[in-house]
Amino acid sequence: MNRLACIFVLIAATASLHAAPATALAFTPDGAILASGAHREVQLRSVPSGKITAGFPAEFSRISSLAFSSDGDYLALAGGTPGESGAASILSWDGKSIEHRFTNFTDLVTAAKFNHDAAWLAVASADASAFLFPLESSRREAIELRGHSGPVLDIAWSSKGNILVTASADRSLKVWSAADGELLRSFSQHTEPVHAVVFRPRSDPSDESPIQCASASDDGTVRIWQPTIGRMVRIIRGHDAPVFTVAYTPDGQKLFSAGKDGIVRRLDTDSDQILGEWKAHTEPIYHIAISPDGQHLATGDWSGKERLWRIVGDQLVGGQSGIEPRMDTNQHE
């Protein structure tokens, strides 16, 4: 069963157990805190200990996405009830008060991402819609990204903020102009739903080579693209199950993937080779996040368990197992 089917079919069972699958993880820009989405709560863990130090209530029974603005002043929180409704909120990080709220989605909001200066929020939903919402009063109205025929499962900004890429259960990735929402091109080489997309960061600002992004799919592949050119660069096979999540280190030199088989893989950023594998969870891994300094990787699985790893050279080390499933409770470790 793929990730989307699990979300829809097993949500009732999840609610009855009061646990939430770990589908939302985000490090603060300073790397000191790992935020994670529990059942109607955001929990905050210290890094590197992984211990819960605080938490605050959230409106969603299912939190599907967390993202910090680059300055750390705001947190974008997205979720909802699968098959019924979805929304995205922006909270001030100091007081955790709601600054903006975007509703009227008829299904779960799957992703909400700031652009580089937090002037816009990109939002994707399982109701097949995606929008760019202006966050400054002087900006014009929201821009709708029209074109997907199935749930939009992820959305990513380029570093310059001039284009976006969406990933969908309709098996496609689409490239959009951030200026006006124009559809620039569509990639349909994946043969199953596409769960995640992420741009490769650049360590050298003067690098003029075509930008790249990576996508993860139920077809068991990670694919590398040049979205401005309209070219698939390579296919990374060797995954034994659907791939649900993919992430680069901030310097763009390391690429990690994970999925249904509970294995984290390190992929060569410049070839189609898998450089390492670590059995991280016994349950499917739905999200990984990498700290801003590139030294830690967090994983979260279907049962709600999270693990925090150290990235040491070419290896993952540790994987603290004391980070257990999040429950619907106000008690913290």
Side-chain angles (χ1 to χ4, degrees):
M1 183 180 294
N2 66 37
R3 177 189 179 197
L4 190 65
C6 286
I7 289 174
F8 281 74
V9 174
L10 298 181
I11 191 68
T14 301
S16 67
L17 292 173
H18 303 292
T23 55
L25 300 167
F27 287 92
T28 52
D30 63 6
I33 295 173
L34 173 66
S36 61
H39 183 72
R40 297 190 182 280
E41 184 183 21
V42 174
Q43 295 183 345
L44 308 178
R45 302 179 183 275
S46 64
V47 178
S49 74
K51 296 298 183 180
I52 295 176
T53 58
F56 57 90
E59 62 181 302
F60 307 121
S61 59
R62 173 65 182 271
I63 299 172
S64 55
S65 178
L66 294 169
F68 285 94
S69 59
S70 59
D71 59 11
D73 289 344
Y74 299 98
L75 173 67
L77 176 71
T81 302
E84 295 183 12
S85 64
S89 298
I90 296 177
L91 285 67
S92 63
W93 187 235
D94 53 358
K96 311 300 186 297
S97 59
I98 296 177
E99 301 292 319
H100 301 272
R101 193 168 185 272
F102 307 102
T103 59
N104 299 323
F105 293 93
T106 58
D107 209 330
L108 184 77
V109 169
T110 54
K113 309 284 182 64
F114 292 102
N115 71 336
H116 66 285
D117 62 358
W120 292 85
L121 185 74
V123 176
S125 173
D127 66 10
S129 71
F131 288 86
L132 305 182
F133 291 108
L135 302 180
E136 297 177 358
S137 57
S138 59
R139 299 281 183 172
R140 56 194 177 92
E141 294 182 354
I143 299 172
E144 184 175 3
L145 308 180
R146 298 182 180 181
H148 283 294
S149 60
V152 185
L153 303 179
D154 201 7
I155 192 165
W157 292 91
S158 65
S159 59
K160 292 183 179 180
N162 58 324
I163 65 169
L164 301 100
V165 177
T166 50
S168 173
D170 65 12
R171 305 180 183 182
S172 77
L173 293 117
K174 296 187 184 297
V175 184
W176 312 86
S177 166
D180 55 12
E182 177 187 358
L183 177 61
L184 302 177
R185 56 185 52 88
S186 183
F187 298 114
S188 57
Q189 286 91 334
H190 276 297
T191 60
E192 296 294 342
V194 189
H195 292 287
V197 61
V198 62
F199 277 88
R200 181 178 182 176
R202 289 188 166 175
S203 56
D204 182 2
S206 64
D207 186 353
E208 295 297 330
S209 62
I211 60 176
Q212 294 184 1
C213 63
S215 60
S217 169
D218 266 0
D219 64 16
T221 69
V222 170
R223 304 189 185 220
I224 309 300
W225 313 85
Q226 290 176 339
T228 55
I229 293 177
R231 185 167 79 95
M232 184 174 69
V233 179
R234 69 183 64 90
I235 306 173
I236 304 174
R237 298 183 172 90
H239 298 80
D240 299 322
V243 189
F244 296 154
T245 179
V246 63
Y248 283 100
T249 51
D251 62 5
Q253 299 305 303
K254 297 175 184 178
L255 176 62
F256 293 88
S257 65
K260 188 176 181 180
D261 57 9
I263 295 174
V264 175
R265 292 176 171 87
R266 186 192 161 192
L267 315 178
D268 189 348
T269 54
D270 296 310
S271 78
D272 60 357
Q273 300 300 304
I274 294 176
L275 302 179
E277 297 185 351
W278 297 268
K279 182 64 176 180
H281 294 259
T282 57
E283 297 283 340
I285 298 172
Y286 286 143
H287 194 65
I288 58 177
I290 296 177
S291 62
D293 61 7
Q295 295 184 12
H296 292 91
L297 182 146
T299 57
D301 71 13
W302 171 252
S303 72
K305 182 177 289 185
E306 300 166 8
R307 295 183 188 273
L308 188 62
W309 307 77
R310 288 186 297 119
I311 302 174
V312 181
D314 294 332
Q315 301 294 318
L316 285 187
V317 178
Q320 298 177 23
S321 59
I323 306 180
E324 295 299 323
R326 288 78 41 80
M327 309 302 287
D328 185 15
T329 175
N330 291 323
Q331 296 179 353
H332 304 304
E333 297 174 359

